[in-house]
């Protein structure tokens, strides 16, 4: 006799169910969380993308990193112009 | 001609310095799996019906594979919900071919907290038995039992819509 497969759930849902299964149920049935929670989730997604990017070898992910690169370019151009005069 | 060479030299020097500065990593081990979004492979335990996409799986210096879960909080603190999620991920990752021996929770500051994971699958399943069953109840479309508590309800995003909130 074939064994019946259990209902498939995600590890994230299991974590949420450990906190409160009813909150998970509300979320799955289309209820929208308050704005603080939505904001925290958006920040979490952004931070995750940043974290993943920072682990890629040689990639510049931070806003400051890009600013530094632009400064480097401007300084190099200034040196070029000063030396030309 | 000399001016151009000097300018290129200055630019390259600055570029290298900033590149070193901004790409400094805090990785502890070599990444063998990373959640990069929709295209990332879903790890699954068909036996127990658990799916997951852990944030990262790293090969540590001693050769052991560690599952890393990132949390958006300032201080390393492990909640029961984090533990349940990590243990469920370990079960799914092991059945998907990753021989996970360690698990860690990483926070924004880069600090990591070790989560003890048993080699025995039965023990791991025992740890998450209640939340696993609750998640299955929800997946079947049934109404689960609420677990209200003052501290949890205060930070719950559904408090205004919940009839059990305290």
């Amino acid at each position: 006799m074939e064994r019946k497969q259990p209902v498939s759930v995600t590890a994230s849902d299991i974590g949420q169910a450990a906190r409160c299964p009813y909150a998970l149920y509300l979320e799955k049935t289309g209820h929208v969380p308050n704005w603080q929670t939505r904001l925290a989730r958006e920040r979490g997604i952004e931070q995750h993308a940043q974290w993943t990017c920072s682990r890629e070898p040689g990639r510049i992910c931070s806003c400051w990193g890009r600013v530094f690169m632009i400064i480097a370019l401007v300084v190099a151009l200034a040196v070029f112009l000063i030396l030309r005069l | 001609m000399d001016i151009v060479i000097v300018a290129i030299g200055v630019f390259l020097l600055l570029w290298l310095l900033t590149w070193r500065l901004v790409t400094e990593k805090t990785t502890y081990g070599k990444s063998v799996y990373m959640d990069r979004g929709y295209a990332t492979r879903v790890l699954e335990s068909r036996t127990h019906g658990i799916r997951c996409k852990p944030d990262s799986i790293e090969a540590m210096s001693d050769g052991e594979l560690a599952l890393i879960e990132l949390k958006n909080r300032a201080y390393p603190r492990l909640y029961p919900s984090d533990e349940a999620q990590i243990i469920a991920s370990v079960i799914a990752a092991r059945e998907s071919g990753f021989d996970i021996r360690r698990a860690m929770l990483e926070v924004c500051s880069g600090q990591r907290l070790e989560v003890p994971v048993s080699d025995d699958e039965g023990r791991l399943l025992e740890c998450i038995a209640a939340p696993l069953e609750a998640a299955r109840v929800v997946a079947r479309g049934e109404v689960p039992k609420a677990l209200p508590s003052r501290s949890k309800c205060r930070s719950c995003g559904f408090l205004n819509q919940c009839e059990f909130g305290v």
Side-chain angles (χ1 to χ4, degrees), chain A residues 36-58:
Chain A
Q36 290 99 327
T37 305
R38 290 203 304 272
L39 190 70
R41 281 181 190 173
E42 274 170 32
R43 279 186 187 155
I45 292 165
E46 273 172 31
Q47 200 229 334
H48 186 272
Q50 181 88 15
W51 185 81
T52 311
C53 178
S54 72
R55 267 134 182 94
E56 302 270 357

Side-chain angles (χ1 to χ4, degrees), chain A residues 60 62-76, chain B residues 10-11 13-23:
Chain A
I60 299 162
S62 70
C63 198
W64 281 112
R66 289 183 189 126
V67 170
F68 280 132
M69 293 309 293
I70 292 165
I71 290 170
L73 186 66
V74 170
V75 169
Chain B
V10 169
F11 174 71
L13 196 69
L14 283 167
W15 192 86
L16 274 171
L17 281 171
T18 42
W19 184 79
R20 283 284 302 171
L21 205 77
V22 298
T23 60

Side-chain angles (χ1 to χ4, degrees), chain A residues 5-6 8-11 15 19 21-22 31-34 37 47-48 51-52 54-56 58-59 65 69 76, chain B residues 11 15 18-19 22-23 25 34-36 46 49-51 55 72 81 89 106 108 144 152 155 157-158 161 163:
Chain A
Q5 289 275 324
S8 186
V9 291
T10 66
R19 187 179 150 87
Y22 194 69
H31 290 74
V32 181
N34 62 20
T37 305
Q47 200 229 334
H48 186 272
W51 185 81
T52 311
S54 72
R55 267 134 182 94
E56 302 270 357
R59 274 187 69 183
M69 293 309 293
Chain B
F11 174 71
W15 192 86
T18 42
W19 184 79
V22 298
T23 60
K25 291 183 283 295
M34 191 172 280
D35 179 9
R36 289 189 174 89
R46 285 179 186 270
I50 301 170
R51 285 171 285 128
D55 289 328
N72 188 23
S81 56
S89 299
E106 185 174 327
C108 304
K152 281 192 284 183
S155 59
F158 295 98
Q161 303 158 63
E163 54 194 294

Side-chain angles (χ1 to χ4, degrees), chain B residues 19-100:
Chain B
W19 184 79
R20 283 284 302 171
L21 205 77
V22 298
T23 60
E24 200 177 330
K25 291 183 283 295
T26 52
T27 312
Y28 295 74
K30 191 186 167 206
S31 179
V32 292
Y33 173 97
M34 191 172 280
D35 179 9
R36 289 189 174 89
Y38 294 108
T40 308
R41 178 190 161 199
V42 177
L43 308 183
E44 188 174 10
S45 162
R46 285 179 186 270
T47 322
H48 306 294
I50 301 170
R51 285 171 285 128
C52 77
K53 277 206 273 185
D55 289 328
S56 178
I57 295 176
E58 290 179 8
M60 308 309 271
S61 51
D62 55 7
E64 288 189 337
L65 289 186
L67 186 138
I68 317 294
E69 200 57 50
L70 179 78
K71 291 290 163 190
N72 188 23
R73 61 181 77 123
Y75 301 103
R77 189 176 166 186
L78 187 72
Y79 292 99
S81 56
D82 301 328
E83 205 174 353
Q85 183 187 353
I86 288 171
I87 289 173
S89 299
V90 168
I91 293 169
R94 279 184 185 164
E95 205 174 304
S96 302
F98 292 97
D99 187 21
I100 306 289

